[in-house]
């Protein structure tokens, strides 16, 4: 009886160990995050404060929004090196089509704020479509295609502003970037909504399941090698 109990305990322990081992990749980032929070909380008295927490959220919100898009790319077993350059191009294009101060020496084309935003979104969508066409239709590896697009995006930025700094953007972008509602920054709210929508899409839609399927099918030959 004792031997049977011991064997059952070992079997339960083995199952628990296997389960923890399979989930280690998922929980390791959270364990690392907790360890970092504890370390910096002990090292700096100002770390675990509301002001610093708000500052951290502000800093990571833009990165989180960009990471949502990259999540879909990585789940498809691809890579995108051009995301930062295209993000910069979005800001430059908006500024190029916004009225600037007289001391900003840029031969821009002023448009209403909503039009400047739409033009910038359309330009960046076009760059993304070029990436997609090169990867999916021509067959260029995503590393090479997006590396080239990174240079194209940087060239667009340099061509439009020609070394000048454009400060003015439409008021709605100023509000989203630095404004707040009820003490909560707008950019944090936008990041939260973006993360929620991405989670719902990946979890509950056919498109999300398709993304997982494509990524799994592409990863299988590599793992077999």
């Amino acid at each position: 009886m004792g031997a049977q109990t011991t064997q059952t305990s070992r079997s339960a322990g083995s199952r628990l160990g296997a389960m923890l081992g399979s989930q280690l990749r998922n929980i390791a980032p959270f364990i690392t995050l907790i360890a970092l929070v504890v370390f910096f909380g002990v090292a700096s008295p100002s770390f675990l404060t509301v002001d610093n927490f708000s500052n951290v959220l502000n800093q990571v919100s833009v990165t989180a929004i960009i990471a949502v898009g990259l999540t879909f790319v990585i789940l498809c077993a691809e890579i995108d090196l051009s995301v930062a350059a295209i993000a910069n191009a979005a800001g430059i294009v908006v500024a190029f089509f916004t009225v600037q101060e007289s001391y900003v020496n840029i031969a821009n084309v002023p448009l209403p704020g909503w039009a400047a935003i739409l033009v910038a979104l359309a330009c960046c969508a076009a760059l993304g479509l070029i990436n997609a066409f090169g990867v999916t239709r021509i067959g260029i590896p995503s590393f090479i295609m997006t590396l080239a697009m990174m240079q194209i995006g940087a060239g667009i930025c340099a061509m439009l502003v020609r070394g000048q700094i454009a400060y003015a953007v439409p008021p709605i972008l100023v509000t989203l970037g630095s404004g707040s509602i009820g003490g909560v920054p707008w950019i944090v709210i936008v990041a939260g909504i973006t993360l929620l929508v991405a989670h719902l899409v990946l979890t509950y839609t056919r498109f999300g399941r398709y993304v997982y399927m494509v990524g799994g099918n592409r990863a299988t030959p590599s793992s077999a090698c």
Side-chain angles (χ1 to χ4, degrees):
M1 187 67 179
Q4 184 178 0
T5 303
T6 302
Q7 184 177 2
T8 302
S9 300
R10 289 179 178 176
S11 177
S14 299
R15 288 195 299 270
L16 179 61
M19 183 181 68
L20 291 176
S22 64
Q23 295 297 321
L24 183 61
R25 184 176 61 180
N26 295 327
I27 64 176
F30 296 100
I31 296 175
T32 304
L33 177 61
I34 292 172
L36 289 173
V37 169
V38 171
F39 172 79
F40 286 110
V42 173
S44 174
S46 62
F47 183 78
L48 295 177
T49 60
V50 175
D51 290 340
N52 187 60
F53 181 69
S54 176
N55 181 53
V56 170
L57 284 179
N58 271 316
Q59 296 296 324
V60 304
S61 292
V62 175
T63 304
I65 294 171
I66 295 174
V68 168
L70 283 177
T71 298
F72 287 84
V73 175
I74 294 172
L75 285 176
C76 291
E78 300 290 353
I79 191 170
D80 188 352
L81 302 177
S82 65
V83 59
I86 294 179
N88 289 336
I92 293 297
V93 172
V94 166
F96 182 80
F97 289 102
T98 303
V99 178
Q100 300 293 325
E101 298 293 340
S102 58
Y103 55 81
V104 179
N105 187 21
I106 299 175
N108 62 336
V109 182
L111 295 175
W114 62 268
I117 294 173
L118 289 180
V119 169
L121 292 176
C123 290
C124 292
L127 296 179
L129 288 174
I130 293 173
N131 270 339
F133 183 81
V135 173
T136 61
R137 297 301 181 184
I138 301 178
I140 303 173
S142 58
F143 183 93
I144 302 300
M145 186 68 217
T146 58
L147 180 63
M149 185 57 67
M150 179 177 68
Q151 301 300 322
I152 293 172
I156 292 173
C157 295
M159 180 186 67
L160 292 180
V161 296
R162 299 187 181 278
Q164 301 293 317
I165 299 177
Y167 297 94
V169 293
I172 187 173
L173 296 184
V174 177
T175 301
L176 289 176
S178 58
S180 61
I181 178 172
V184 180
W186 272 111
I187 189 64
V188 175
I189 297 174
V190 173
I193 293 173
T194 304
L195 290 167
L196 176 61
V197 171
H199 168 72
L200 294 177
V201 169
L202 284 174
T203 307
Y204 299 107
T205 67
R206 180 180 297 179
F207 173 74
R209 292 190 292 271
Y210 176 78
V211 169
Y212 277 119
M213 181 181 69
V214 170
N217 290 340
R218 292 192 178 186
T220 300
S222 297
S223 59
C225 292

